[in-house]
Amino acid sequence: MYNIQMLNKIAKVGTDNLDPAKYTLGTEMDNPDAILVRSAVMHDMELGSNLKAIARAGAGVNNIPVDACTEKGIVVFNTPGANANGVKEMTLCALFLAARNVVGGIEWAKGLTGDDVAKQVEKGKSAFAGTELKGKTLGVIGLGAIGGMVANVAVHLGMKVIGCDPFLSVEGAWNLNHHVVKAATYDEIFEKADYITLHVPATKDTKGMINATTIATMKDGVRLINLSRADLVNAADVAEAMKSGKMAAYVTDFPTAEVLEIPGVVAIPHLGASTEESEDNCAVMAALELDDYLTNGNIKNSVNFPPASMPRSGDCRICLFNANVPEIITAVTKIVGEGGRNIENMMNKSRGNVAYTIMDVIGDIDDATVAQLEAIEGVFGVRVIK
Ligand code: MLT
């Protein structure tokens, strides 16, 4: 029986995949085996001794202490693509809101009173005139599941689309409309785009990528959309650019105090993936990932360990987390092979400086053998699934 703690509300259609005969679900739990999380910030949470996996119902994992998890052999999963359509649709909404002062106009209209509202509307509307997207250049930073779809739709809106993604996958490239032009660098996008939309995760390389220096290279009147992560943008620098008129519009899903009151800023309370469909898709994917890992040790869509899946065979399965260095597998197979045990099947996958090994064994693996495996230099986690 495994205990799974839910730190946020997770759609029932997802948790329904977790068989109550195998899993106990709860919101308050001491030392759970796994955690299901959406946006709760986990950086100050204790990672309990039982904790084996964390599944994020969403793409970004900046609310999870991933490095600390890796050191402890805790597998962190996310749900790439599961909410991409929801965020794509919100990005299109953001593009329209950046082009037309619909939000300002709605706010103004709410304050109208009297019998001649229709007259006041016609008189006052010119203050809220906007521009059209057709013919403008959209720069898409990050052409993954979301950015790729945004780029393709923008082509159909009549925009000139340039995109840049140093990590573009082959599949991502195949899915791009051939009118999407490759920009060699983010700088090229900053220089050429009338609209810029961000679709990259917050990493040490992308944090603060929109700042006073990069904004200075952008076109006057540039319009920026950030539905990805707060940290990509230096909010104080964007506030300055909005106040000076350098930037004509800023639509963000991550408002902070610096930008809230500035005219032209559209502040959305992180609603990009908040649709029934996206929440359901993420919950299902996260629950299935946890189930396969807790039951079989199989890893799919982890952000800190390599993908590794193998059908079950033998009497028990050993799952090993180790440093990606020579000699470890030799030492492991020697110990496992003692006492007449036979390794039926095995898989070893690495990712950067960590590796994950699955080994199906005929024979039993007792606590003493686990202790021997744990004592191998470079091994930092051993699980036996019977
Ligand atoms: C994501 O990273 O995919 C979103 O932030 C998900 C969410 O809104 O929870």
Side-chain angles (χ1 to χ4, degrees):
M1 199 76 183
Y2 293 106
N3 292 326
I4 302 181
Q5 184 177 16
M6 294 181 295
L7 296 184
N8 297 102
K9 196 168 171 291
I10 303 292
K12 186 173 174 304
V13 67
T15 53
D16 279 351
N17 291 285
L18 298 167
D19 181 355
K22 285 198 285 182
Y23 303 108
T24 304
L25 299 180
T27 51
E28 302 293 326
M29 267 182 189
D30 274 341
N31 208 358
D33 295 286
I35 288 176
L36 267 169
V37 61
R38 186 169 171 191
S39 298
V41 177
M42 296 184 62
H43 289 283
D44 293 330
M45 265 183 74
E46 194 190 329
L47 303 170
S49 55
N50 285 339
L51 192 59
K52 297 164 189 56
I54 299 170
R56 162 129 220 276
V61 288
N62 56 321
N63 55 327
I64 300 171
V66 177
D67 290 343
C69 289
T70 309
E71 282 166 23
K72 289 174 177 273
I74 298 167
V75 183
V76 180
F77 296 93
N78 69 348
T79 59
N83 58 22
N85 192 64
V87 183
K88 172 203 81 180
E89 290 186 7
M90 187 60 110
T91 307
L92 296 173
C93 172
L95 266 175
F96 290 118
L97 294 179
R100 313 283 287 263
N101 192 359
V102 179
V103 173
I106 291 172
E107 286 303 313
W108 173 76
K110 273 189 204 157
L112 299 178
T113 52
D115 295 336
D116 63 342
V117 165
K119 235 182 180 173
Q120 293 178 56
V121 163
E122 290 312 318
K123 206 168 159 215
K125 71 178 185 184
S126 61
F128 305 101
T131 62
E132 295 183 19
L133 296 175
K134 191 173 171 196
K136 306 293 187 317
T137 299
L138 173 66
V140 184
I141 294 193
L143 293 163
I146 301 165
M149 287 197 285
V150 168
N152 289 350
V153 178
V155 168
H156 291 292
L157 291 173
M159 299 188 84
K160 296 174 199 145
V161 183
I162 53 174
C164 182
D165 188 337
F167 306 102
L168 182 62
S169 67
V170 173
E171 202 192 334
W174 272 110
N175 288 336
L176 278 181
N177 184 299
H178 68 278
H179 289 294
V180 176
V181 174
K182 181 180 165 222
T185 59
Y186 296 155
D187 290 342
E188 191 180 331
I189 289 189
F190 297 149
E191 279 163 32
K192 291 185 175 164
D194 302 301
Y195 291 76
I196 296 173
T197 184
L198 308 175
H199 298 287
V200 287
T203 65
K204 62 177 184 2
D205 296 326
T206 60
K207 277 185 184 175
M209 68 190 298
I210 306 296
N211 55 51
T213 310
T214 52
I215 292 170
T217 67
M218 294 177 192
K219 283 188 172 180
D220 291 342
V222 66
R223 292 160 201 254
L224 177 67
I225 292 158
N226 178 18
L227 269 60
S228 283
R229 279 297 175 263
D231 284 352
L232 300 177
V233 168
N234 181 315
D237 292 353
V238 167
E240 274 312 306
M242 287 296 297
K243 283 182 201 156
S244 72
K246 170 76 185 177
M247 190 174 281
Y250 177 47
V251 185
T252 179
D253 219 5
F254 305 94
T256 52
E258 293 103 321
V259 296
L260 272 183
E261 300 299 328
I262 299 174
V265 172
V266 178
I268 305 169
H270 195 187
L271 295 180
S274 291
T275 64
E276 263 174 48
E277 295 86 344
S278 285
E279 288 176 6
D280 285 358
N281 289 343
C282 288
V284 169
M285 200 189 269
L288 292 176
E289 288 163 357
L290 272 192
D291 180 38
D292 200 18
Y293 178 66
L294 292 172
T295 307
N296 301 312
N298 289 333
I299 296 181
K300 189 171 174 211
N301 294 329
S302 167
V303 297
N304 60 342
F305 285 101
S309 294
M310 208 169 75
R312 293 287 291 270
S313 61
D315 298 321
C316 64
R317 171 165 284 194
I318 305 172
C319 302
L320 243 127
F321 300 90
N322 56 276
N324 185 18
V325 292
E327 304 292 340
I328 291 190
I329 298 301
T330 316
V332 171
T333 49
K334 185 166 180 300
I335 292 169
V336 173
E338 280 164 8
R341 282 179 297 236
N342 187 35
I343 298 170
E344 181 80 351
N345 254 318
M346 74 172 269
M347 169 180 273
N348 171 261
K349 289 286 194 77
S350 63
R351 174 178 184 156
N353 50 13
V354 295
Y356 182 65
T357 305
I358 303 176
M359 211 173 258
D360 284 341
V361 176
I362 296 180
D364 189 33
I365 299 289
D366 55 13
D367 290 348
T369 312
V370 171
Q372 274 182 288
L373 293 171
E374 283 172 341
I376 298 171
E377 198 178 332
V379 169
F380 55 91
V382 179
R383 255 185 97 198
V384 178
I385 306 172
K386 295 194 180 173

